[in-house]
Each structure stands twice: as C-alpha cells, then as structure tokens.
Amino acid sequence: MDLFPAPAIPRLTVLNSDDTIPVNRVFCVGRNYWAHAAEMNGEVERDAPFYFTKSHHAVVGGGEIPFPPGTENYHHEFELSFVLGTGGKDIDADDAISHIWGWCAGLDMTRRDLQNYAKEKRLPWDTSKDIPAGAVLGPVTPAADWTLGTQRMHLSVNGEIRQDAHVNELIWSVPEIIAHLSRLYTLTPGDVVMTGTPAGVGPVGPGDVLEGEIDGLAPIKTTIGAPT
Ligand code: MN
C-alpha cells in the first residue's frame, strides 16, 4: 500500500462545461518568437525547438497566485497553449492538429533573475521555470470550436498592454512542435504544450492584475498575491 497519499493530479476546466481535463505533463517551448528571442539576447537558429517542463504543482487555472520566494524579478510570459486529446509517437506534422483536444490562454511565470543566472552559468532552468502556481492555464476551448489562424493575443498588467502579438508569429508552428516532441516522448492525452511567449515580458509584483486574451478563447485573469 502507499505509504503516503498520492499527490493530486491538477485538472484544466473546459469552457461552458462541467468536464475537466486531468493534466499529464506540461511542456513549454523556449524562444519561439523572434522579437522575444531578441529581447532576451538569445541567439535563435531555426535548428530545432527546445523545451523545458513544469510539474503538477505549477498548474493553476487563474485567480490569485502567490509571489514565489527566491526572486526579485518575477516575469509574465503570455502563451498560446493546448492540450492533447490523443497521444502517440512519431506524429506527422500533417496530422498533428488532429491530436489536439483544445486550446487555452496560458501564463508561463518565470523567475527571470534565476533564469538569467542559469543562462550565464550554463545551468538548468528548473528553478526559474518550475514554480508553484507558475503555469496558469485558463478554461479550455474544444478544438472543434476554434481553429488556429492569425488571432491576436495580448496581455495587460493593471490595464496597460504589455504583450501584443499574433499566434501565427511562432517560429516553430504548432504542427512542427507536436511532430518534434513526439519524436522525443510518446505523447499522451492530457499532455499540455505552452508554445512560447511573444515580446514584451516584464516584472510583476504583489497586487498586480494580469489579464490575457487570445481572440476566440476564454480570457485569463490572475492577481499576484502576497510573497510566500
Ligand atoms: Mn515561456
């Protein structure tokens, strides 16, 4: 028998439904918009996409999220996100979209000071990215009700727009990401992908209100709570 209670599996809500989606893994694509890569002083070669992951403690649906310990530069990254309904390996890009159950707006919250240090020292990004309540994933819109196109995405902080872009500006397209990732992992239903952030990332602090919207998807609203 289990010696300790099994950890709870986080669930995504579904827009206008009581259904929920148990989350398996959360894959995040790094440096996937040219202008964001430039603002991070990153060199982008269209060689292969790269990923980092967030674990279950990171996943929340919105509302108040705590300001985490260990950072003085906590950043928002607003991202088109999706969840798979069918998995598989070696998925063809031509067929990749059909594996998506639905789409949502997401926030990849980042301890930027720790990430900058990690980059400088060639260390991993875990502590800068895998943060309690650091993967905000809004209500999921079924793929049947939303088709990826050229939709606008924008994030405001306290009513001022900070990030403003379009979902077709991704360096690595959604089909390319699924095809590539499925050659590294056998993907499963409930796997979530956060596709990367456009330019305009910046710091937030306690009391700040973040509102993100991708045309046609449910908006997300998050308030940064007190430090923990
Ligand atoms: Mn990101």
Side-chain angles (χ1 to χ4, degrees), residues 29 52 77 79 108 129 197:
V29 184
F52 53 90
E77 296 192 357
E79 312 202 353
D108 162 19
K129 289 293 195 178
T197 192

Side-chain angles (χ1 to χ4, degrees), residues 31-39 42 44-46 169-171 197 199:
R31 266 176 235 146
N32 206 18
Y33 288 81
W34 296 111
H36 172 65
E39 76 180 351
V44 179
E45 296 168 9
R46 208 175 179 289
E169 293 165 20
L170 290 168
I171 296 171
T197 192

